[in-house]
Amino acid sequence: MHFVKAALLCTLLSVPVVAATPTPAAMDRDLLEVSVTKLHTLYRTHTYTVRQVTEWYLARIEKYNPTYKPILELDREGALKRADQEDAEARPPAALAAKLKAQPLWGVPIVIKANTSIEGRVTSDGWTGFLQPGHELIAPRDAQIVAHFKSAGAVILGHTNMPDFAASDTNNSSAGGRTGNAYNVRYSPGGSSGGTATAVAANLALLGQGTDTSNSIRNPASTDSLVGFLPTRGLVSIAGIAPLDWLMDDTGPLARNVTDAAIALEVMAGEDKLDERTAGSAAKETPHFTQYLKADALKGKRFGVPSFILNNQGTALSSTGATRSLALRPETQAAFLKAIEGLRAAGATIVEDDTILPASFETLLRAISTGPYRAEGFEDFLRDFGPTEYKSPAAFEQATGQKLPGFLLGQGRSNAPATSQRRLEDDPKAKEIFWDPQAKALAAYDETLERLHLDGMVYPALQMPPNDEIAPQPDGKPSTGPHSNTGWVNRIGVPAVVVPGGFYDNGLPFGLEISGKAWQDGALLGYAYAYEQKTHHRKPPVLAME
């Protein structure tokens, strides 16, 4: 009898606890604005299965994507297959605990930007040219960051919409049309990671990945009340990402809170033989970023306000040669002055001084030339991540009858002469053209930090509020924006983070940006966390049809 009872007990203990069929109201209550930590608690208590959570996100995408259009390509079959696999692997109670401990994004539905390679999926880069039937750019393997996401247990829902080649401040593409802002669909979500930003802000995914050449993670983070993190260049590999300007390109997470961004960055970081800038990165900064997330991280810290950002009334050229205004709008300046009170309340000191990155700093930045090396980035991308049919720009043209835009290959802007192309590693003038000017600008940045005992810089993530893209304009042309003056961070390779900094009077978000010291990404995340915990500015959008 005792043997029978013992056997019965063992049998009962080995039976997996299966989540009951949840009600839609319960799932909305538990999963709207859910964090990675909270989701793992729901898994640990067997409240939901991975499939149930994945289906909830898929249902929201089906409901809201026709209006907001953040998802360009949905991999419903792949996401559900992955969810079922994870549920099966975690059926024994001990196995579930082990999975949650070993895989920091286990069961977490995420989205990937459309310029980032996912094995077997089309890397459209937002452009119809890579979607030609029979000639699609189907990735032969994962970008390293995608491989890291998969190893960490993430469920990839699909690719997000982006402007063609990531070459825009907003999010209108030939492949997927216009993405709207989660807080008001008429307005711009920012670019070029606006699809990822709208998806995460609207709770169509828990986390997302973006890329950034001159503002493209931080711009949409600002417009959608998100945390957007641009890491030190070299902390995270950009191999497998279709480049816009590979010497300024970077990639990082977009999240609804700093903790999720830190967890995602820990997953994304790592050395990659296909990205030489990552060599030795593990020795420069160990990616245990969540240890920096402390509520008192801002106490005693000092941040400078860059003079050239607040006082700039001029214009600048984008990566494609388009002119954009860099004038700081009065309403944005007012929002910034209000937002930095949160830094002061958390114990930080804000230093304003005309010598903090003045206009002369911009002269140093403009001396950094990447034009002679633009083609190298796209050539290497096609060589390593292009389909068998075309492993070079010339092969693409031969196979499809279309040409890649000249600006991707350094062929000059309209009415501008082509730039003679060369490979950075073989060019005897590379030190003069790129490395020395970059080092000089970085030294000026570091000197300012040291001279004034600053821990970083703080400034508006954008020079203007998100713009209405539907309302007719006086000149009959579409509105442009939202413009930023933050591409200098990419040029010198230091990290920066955007955190929700409040809202404009019309209900659209304002984002506060903080830059830090190279290879001190963890400290920067700590500052963002302390600000977040002090202010709690983020509030979810009310979506159309909700």
Side-chain angles (χ1 to χ4, degrees):
M1 180 64 70
H2 291 297
F3 175 79
V4 172
K5 288 182 178 179
L8 180 60
L9 179 61
C10 289
T11 300
L12 290 173
L13 289 175
S14 66
V15 174
V17 179
V18 179
T21 302
T23 65
M27 295 197 78
D28 288 348
R29 179 196 65 222
D30 291 338
L31 297 182
L32 277 171
E33 298 290 290
V34 73
S35 66
V36 172
T37 303
K38 176 62 184 300
L39 181 60
H40 278 186
T41 297
L42 293 171
Y43 286 144
R44 192 174 289 109
T45 56
H46 304 283
T47 304
Y48 302 116
T49 64
V50 179
R51 184 182 180 95
Q52 288 170 339
V53 169
T54 301
E55 287 179 333
W56 183 83
Y57 281 104
L58 291 173
R60 285 185 66 82
I61 290 170
E62 182 178 357
K63 182 176 181 181
Y64 294 113
N65 200 59
T67 299
Y68 293 88
K69 298 183 179 179
I71 306 298
L72 180 60
E73 185 196 27
L74 182 65
D75 185 12
R76 177 184 297 275
E77 181 180 347
L80 290 175
K81 181 179 179 180
R82 172 76 167 186
D84 288 341
Q85 179 185 4
E86 293 192 341
D87 283 332
E89 291 172 350
R91 284 202 177 101
L96 174 59
K99 287 287 183 183
L100 293 174
K101 183 178 181 180
Q103 296 179 283
L105 294 178
W106 189 86
V108 175
I110 70 169
V111 286
I112 302 295
K113 191 173 176 180
N115 59 356
T116 303
S117 301
I118 303 173
E119 183 178 1
R121 312 299 298 183
V122 178
T123 312
S124 72
D125 206 14
W127 186 47
T128 54
F130 290 141
L131 291 171
Q132 297 175 75
H135 302 290
E136 296 92 340
L137 201 168
I138 299 175
R141 54 174 160 168
D142 291 326
Q144 188 196 66
I145 55 169
V146 171
H148 283 187
F149 279 132
K150 289 180 177 179
S151 295
V155 177
I156 297 176
L157 299 174
H159 269 135
T160 54
N161 192 31
M162 58 177 282
D164 298 39
F165 312 107
S168 176
D169 282 339
T170 189
N171 216 82
N172 200 332
S173 79
S174 62
R178 175 185 172 271
T179 299
N181 189 299
Y183 288 83
N184 187 326
V185 72
R186 295 175 58 97
Y187 286 76
S188 172
S192 62
S193 302
T196 294
T198 294
V200 175
N203 286 272
L204 307 188
L206 198 155
L207 275 172
Q209 170 259 349
T211 65
D212 192 315
T213 306
S214 65
N215 61 28
S216 291
I217 288 172
R218 295 159 291 147
N219 177 332
S222 177
T223 70
D224 275 292
S225 196
L226 295 176
V227 176
F229 196 86
L230 179 79
T232 298
R233 180 64 184 95
L235 179 68
V236 180
S237 171
I238 63 167
I241 298 172
L244 178 57
D245 188 339
W246 69 282
L247 286 173
M248 293 197 294
D249 291 342
D250 209 339
T251 183
L254 285 146
R256 293 188 293 268
N257 62 76
V258 177
T259 303
D260 286 355
I263 292 171
L265 189 62
E266 288 180 357
V267 169
M268 297 174 75
E271 298 185 28
D272 184 354
K273 64 182 181 180
L274 292 179
D275 184 350
E276 293 183 2
R277 301 284 288 276
T278 65
S281 61
K284 296 174 184 176
E285 183 166 21
T286 304
H288 298 306
F289 300 121
T290 52
Q291 68 179 327
Y292 293 92
L293 307 186
K294 299 176 182 178
D296 63 352
L298 282 170
K299 286 187 178 179
K301 303 303 179 184
R302 291 166 56 84
F303 298 93
V305 179
S307 175
F308 83 93
I309 292 181
L310 260 63
N311 299 324
N312 198 321
Q313 299 299 313
T315 61
L317 290 175
S318 70
S319 297
T320 58
T323 300
R324 57 187 183 187
S325 172
L326 296 183
L328 183 65
R329 299 277 184 89
E331 59 269 46
T332 299
Q333 184 169 19
F336 171 67
L337 295 175
K338 184 177 180 181
I340 59 176
E341 289 305 313
L343 290 172
R344 293 190 175 103
T349 297
I350 308 302
V351 181
E352 296 186 57
D353 186 315
D354 288 343
T355 68
I356 298 175
L357 304 188
S360 58
F361 180 66
E362 293 183 283
T363 302
L364 296 177
L365 296 170
R366 283 193 289 268
I368 304 169
S369 177
T370 62
Y373 313 109
R374 291 288 287 269
E376 178 177 347
F378 225 94
E379 288 168 355
D380 288 356
F381 168 73
L382 288 178
R383 180 196 66 202
D384 297 328
F385 291 90
T388 304
E389 185 182 28
Y390 45 88
K391 292 289 186 180
S392 70
F396 171 80
E397 182 178 349
Q398 183 176 4
T400 66
Q402 282 193 266
K403 287 187 176 182
L404 292 169
F407 65 81
L408 292 178
L409 304 175
Q411 295 171 3
R413 304 181 180 97
S414 57
N415 301 318
T419 305
S420 176
Q421 292 298 290
R422 58 201 83 166
R423 293 188 69 83
L424 183 72
E425 58 274 24
D426 301 328
D427 183 15
K429 292 187 176 181
K431 190 172 185 294
E432 171 190 343
I433 292 173
F434 177 74
W435 294 113
D436 280 353
Q438 184 184 65
K440 190 173 182 180
L442 177 59
Y445 175 79
D446 288 339
E447 184 277 331
T448 304
L449 296 179
E450 293 170 11
R451 175 169 52 85
L452 297 173
H453 308 289
L454 302 175
D455 297 281
M457 302 289 176
V458 62
Y459 43 91
L462 295 171
Q463 300 295 94
M464 60 184 286
N467 51 300
D468 188 337
E469 296 185 313
I470 304 301
Q473 301 300 304
D475 60 3
K477 299 178 181 179
S479 67
T480 62
H483 304 311
S484 79
N485 198 6
T486 64
W488 60 275
V489 178
N490 303 71
R491 287 186 172 272
I492 61 176
V494 299
V497 62
V498 167
V499 285
F503 291 83
Y504 290 102
D505 291 343
N506 63 1
L508 292 168
F510 167 81
L512 185 72
E513 183 163 341
I514 309 170
S515 69
K517 299 176 182 178
W519 303 107
Q520 294 189 19
D521 300 67
L524 185 58
L525 282 162
Y527 306 151
Y529 178 81
Y531 181 82
E532 172 190 73
Q533 296 305 302
K534 183 57 124 178
T535 59
H536 296 285
H537 281 309
R538 177 173 166 81
K539 58 183 179 182
V542 177
L543 302 182
M545 300 172 55
E546 248 186 356

